[in-house]
């Protein structure tokens, strides 16, 4: 599962030039779009590319209608492009994790109908 998971080798990211940020932002948008396709409309999916002291970090997050939000971070190391297989894996993992959050939240909110 990819809920609240970081991808990459765990090292700090690096500064990206404008073209690299553009490529990574497009890849991130594709992950978010694929995640939206896998989930009902009640789930809110967003992505963000941030620059910090530790370099560039890409994040895709899903807020289910109930339950905790889940996210996946990607820290570019050698290349900035996220390949098709990895984009699909990240999207499927996020969708599964978000659905699990709903299932767990429903289980916690319901009481048995019979004793």
């Amino acid at each position: 599962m990819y809920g609240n998971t970081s991808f990459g080798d765990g090292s700090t990211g690096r500064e990206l030039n404008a073209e690299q940020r553009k490529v990574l932002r497009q890849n991130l948008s594709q992950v978010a779009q694929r995640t939206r396709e896998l989930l009902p409309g009640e789930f809110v999916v967003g992505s963000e590319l941030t620059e910090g002291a530790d370099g560039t970090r890409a994040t895709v997050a899903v807020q289910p209608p109930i339950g905790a939000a889940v996210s996946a971070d990607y820290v570019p190391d050698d290349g900035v492009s996220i390949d098709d297989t990895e984009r699909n894996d990240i999207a499927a993992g996020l969708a599964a994790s978000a659905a699990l959050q709903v299932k767990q939240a429903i289980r916690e909110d319901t009481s048995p109908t019979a004793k």
Side-chain angles (χ1 to χ4, degrees):
M1 296 285 182
Y2 295 110
N4 303 324
T5 302
S6 293
F7 290 91
D9 62 5
S11 63
T12 58
R14 60 187 177 98
E15 291 292 319
L16 302 178
N17 63 38
E19 183 62 31
Q20 291 171 320
R21 278 194 305 277
K22 180 181 176 183
V23 168
L24 187 55
R25 187 170 285 119
Q26 288 173 341
N27 289 174
L28 205 55
S29 293
Q30 291 170 344
V31 171
Q33 181 58 38
R34 178 68 181 132
T35 305
R36 284 185 197 99
E37 292 169 2
L38 296 170
L39 292 168
E42 295 83 14
F43 289 74
V44 178
V45 180
S47 62
E48 151 179 90
L49 190 60
T50 57
E51 298 281 342
D54 58 346
T56 302
R57 179 171 302 271
T59 304
V60 179
V62 179
Q63 176 62 61
I66 59 172
V70 294
S71 64
D73 289 342
Y74 181 81
V75 178
D77 43 15
D78 293 334
V80 295
S81 182
I82 306 171
D83 66 43
D84 289 340
T85 302
E86 192 170 14
R87 284 194 299 261
N88 286 331
D89 287 348
I90 294 169
L94 274 171
S97 295
L100 182 61
Q101 290 298 316
V102 171
K103 183 177 179 179
Q104 290 175 339
I106 289 173
R107 188 178 321 142
E108 291 170 3
D109 288 344
T110 59
S111 59
T113 53
K115 294 191 182 214

